[in-house]
Amino acid sequence: MRALLLVLLFFLAGAVLPAPATAPMLATSYRHGVAVPEFLVSEKLDGVRGRWDGQRLWTRGGAPVTTPPGFTRGWPGEPMEGELWLGRGRFDEVGAIVRRLDADPRAWRGVRFMVFDLPAHPGPFTGRVVRMRRLVAAAGSPTLAMIPQRHFRSATELDAELARVVAAGGEGLVLHRGAALYRAGRSADLLKYKPYQDAEAQVVAHLPGQGKYAGRMGAVQVRTADGRQFRIGSGFTDAQRGDPPPVGTWLTYRYNGLTSTGLPRFARFVRVRDELPPPDPLR
């Protein structure tokens, strides 16, 4: 009897708890020498990455997203990955909107879910692109769109597209091998191409400022997940220097390569991370 009760309790718990998030496919950095014609290329949007499971919207880390009534009306019943996006340079705005629990319809006006993949589709990326176009067209939803995918014939054409996107305020490009299946974890079939690199680190101390920053934070001491420590002193606004990210906060920083000692070169603050990317799942 006791065993039967335990089984029943386990079943009931499973019935009310959400299913675990599907492990995402994660990008590696673009390197020159890649066979560019084998890839489809899209703009890397600076939004909040989300996952639609066919019924509900989740962040990449598995937190539910509260949307206004009707926001997902008409969306397809199969899983989609995309970016909740307001426009270039508006990450902080859309991040604040997604974190809110009241889902104010006025705040969500203009937010769209920009689809870039179908994690449950069994076919290659070229096939998933065709399917995405059909799903979005059939939905006819003003809140659902697809990130355009394009082919480029050479690295020269790709570099010209990167320059155009960055000049217009974009972050960079994403390259997805056309023949690749969807697989969880870091993949050489999915590449990000940006004029800089970015990563996450945790604030461990505030360092006092000098000169015009006297009496305020001059830099933060941070530690990466693998234990490296360094300072970040640029990229902060005056308001952020007066009220710096608390110790323990994770933040995103940009840098340009590594020094001879393996530390990020020209590290600069970008934003506070409200949700860390998930750890790389086993392939």
Side-chain angles (χ1 to χ4, degrees), residues 205-210 213 216-222 230-232 241:
H206 298 147
L207 306 177
Q210 299 178 356
Y213 298 137
R216 292 181 289 174
M217 182 270 291
V220 292
Q221 184 82 8
V222 299
F230 55 94
R231 298 180 178 187
I232 300 177
R241 292 185 184 278

Side-chain angles (χ1 to χ4, degrees), residues 179-197:
L181 303 179
Y182 191 100
R183 299 191 186 279
R186 295 286 170 193
S187 174
D189 293 324
L190 182 63
L191 308 175
K192 53 185 177 182
Y193 189 18
K194 298 183 288 187
Y196 53 81
Q197 296 158 285

Side-chain angles (χ1 to χ4, degrees), residues 152-173:
F152 292 91
R153 294 173 295 180
S154 66
T156 300
E157 289 187 359
L158 184 70
D159 288 343
E161 176 66 4
L162 176 66
R164 183 193 70 79
V165 167
V166 172
E171 282 197 346
L173 303 175

Side-chain angles (χ1 to χ4, degrees), residues 61-87:
V65 178
T66 303
T67 59
F71 186 84
T72 61
R73 184 180 297 120
W75 286 18
E78 58 189 88
M80 303 183 294
E81 284 188 347
E83 295 276 334
L84 287 161
W85 195 59
L86 266 174

Side-chain angles (χ1 to χ4, degrees), residues 52 54-55 67-77 80 135-136 138-144:
W52 170 253
Q55 296 182 323
T67 59
F71 186 84
T72 61
R73 184 180 297 120
W75 286 18
M80 303 183 294
L135 289 174
V136 170
S141 170
T143 61
L144 188 66

